[in-house]
Amino acid sequence: MAGVSHRALPYALGALAGYAADARFGDPRRGHPVAAFGRAAGRLERALWRDHRGAGALHTALCVTAVAAGAAGVQQLAGRHRAGAAALTAAATWTVLGGSSLAREARTVGAALTAGDLAAARRRLPHLCGRDPSALDEQQLARAVVESVAENTADAVVNALVWGAVAGAPGLLAFRAVNTLDAMVGHKSARYRRFGWAAARLDDVAGWPGARLTALLTVAAAERRDTAWRVWRRDGGAHPSPNAGQAESAFAGALGVRLGGTLHYGAKVEHRPVLGAELRPVAVADIERACRLSRRVGLLALGTTVALRLAVRTLTHKERI
């Protein structure tokens, strides 16, 4: 590792260790820091809630700033020792990554569908996404799972690693705070249409680079690279979300399946553009293929972001000498 900045190595080692911990153990069953953050954000929401964008912006700013500042303070202390800095990065990486839990939930629904147990699959789907599963058939459930795997590969894996590469442990944890707030208040219900506006917009901004990197890495990891590239470039911007369509369209092309279309969120129905309209419908077997693709994309993202941080830190260190 000659020539590599000594300040970059603890992050690289910590990110690798944290990724390995997520792959081996998944999310902690009890006392998850993200759940603790959600409870604290919920209490602050009850104190600040007003049907106004300004109140929501204040809520979002306080929550994210508290996490980032706290992590930065701990990093400042831990950074005095390489082992401490690496341990902090490992803990933060394990905390924010959700790749193993994502695959586990997807495979649980897939196993129920393979067994012909639609009721069990419908009960489990809300662990992955907010759609109403009550009227979904086998093919629609499989499609929902594959779309959730694609979108959450970006949110739960790649984006976190991107912000870790940019800002270390504070970047990892701040991104997870932003993403969690969006899930809590960023939807367009009567209560959150105004209050959640800031959280939703901040999540869009924070998710922009990782969504596009996810699509690029999906193309690189695909067996059908030409199809993945074509569908991503043609359909990636058709999704109503500025970011979700990037990963979903690339996954559609990589897997050779058709995604998008009509969605049900309780009483609300959304008619979204179809991604990969010329491809075949999703089958139950595609759930496992999507999980394997997600793992390949995650590994590529880990390597890409760690290499980027090493390179930037090394170049910066040389310029100061």
Side-chain angles (χ1 to χ4, degrees):
M1 302 294 284
V4 176
S5 168
H6 70 280
R7 295 185 64 187
L9 283 176
Y11 176 83
L13 295 173
L16 291 169
Y19 189 96
D22 177 66
R24 175 63 180 85
F25 304 111
D27 289 332
R29 296 291 184 176
R30 296 181 180 178
H32 198 299
V34 174
F37 169 78
R39 290 191 293 271
R43 288 193 292 271
L44 184 61
E45 177 197 332
R46 289 190 289 274
L48 294 178
W49 187 90
R50 301 289 186 278
D51 190 18
H52 191 276
R53 285 184 177 183
L58 177 61
H59 175 257
T60 298
L62 289 174
C63 289
V64 176
T65 300
V67 170
V74 175
Q75 181 170 266
Q76 185 70 24
L77 294 173
R80 298 172 183 174
H81 306 282
R82 294 188 191 181
L88 174 62
T89 300
T93 303
W94 184 20
T95 294
V96 304
L97 292 185
S100 289
S101 297
L102 172 64
R104 183 181 65 245
E105 293 296 340
R107 286 173 171 138
T108 299
V109 178
L113 291 174
T114 300
D117 192 344
L118 283 179
R122 287 168 178 156
R123 286 195 300 270
R124 200 68 188 182
L125 185 67
H127 288 78
L128 276 171
C129 60
R131 300 180 198 179
D132 179 7
S134 60
L136 300 183
D137 61 20
E138 178 182 282
Q139 191 279 323
Q140 291 168 328
L141 286 164
R143 191 193 97 198
V145 172
V146 170
E147 290 173 353
S148 295
V149 169
E151 182 176 358
N152 286 294
T153 296
D155 282 344
V157 181
V158 180
N159 260 311
L161 292 171
V162 166
W163 286 104
V166 170
L172 287 161
L173 295 170
F175 174 75
R176 180 54 60 217
V178 171
N179 195 240
T180 302
L181 286 175
D182 178 57
M184 292 176 64
V185 305
H187 39 90
K188 295 181 180 180
S189 65
R191 177 177 175 84
Y192 295 123
R193 185 175 299 276
R194 295 184 180 86
F195 185 85
W197 176 86
R201 297 292 76 74
L202 183 59
D203 186 67
D204 287 342
V205 172
W208 197 96
R212 280 124 190 105
L213 179 60
T214 300
L216 281 171
L217 296 179
T218 299
V219 172
E223 295 178 2
R224 309 179 181 195
R225 291 189 181 92
D226 55 342
T227 305
W229 174 265
R230 184 184 74 251
V231 175
W232 169 43
R233 298 307 298 155
R234 186 191 67 202
D235 298 340
H239 197 284
S241 164
N243 297 325
Q246 304 296 316
E248 288 187 23
S249 59
F251 263 67
L255 297 172
V257 299
R258 184 166 63 243
L259 300 178
T262 302
L263 303 177
H264 296 267
Y265 294 91
K268 183 181 178 182
V269 177
E270 289 188 13
H271 300 285
R272 293 183 179 175
V274 175
L275 310 176
E278 72 277 20
L279 304 175
R280 64 172 175 82
V282 177
V284 174
D286 294 315
I287 292 175
E288 178 61 29
R289 295 178 63 225
C291 291
R292 292 177 180 175
L293 177 60
S294 176
R295 176 52 58 90
R296 294 197 297 273
V297 171
L299 286 168
L300 287 173
L302 176 67
T304 300
T305 54
V306 166
L308 177 63
R309 186 171 177 88
L310 287 172
V312 170
R313 285 299 188 111
T314 299
L315 290 173
T316 303
H317 177 69
K318 287 181 177 179
E319 288 177 358
R320 288 199 299 264
I321 295 176

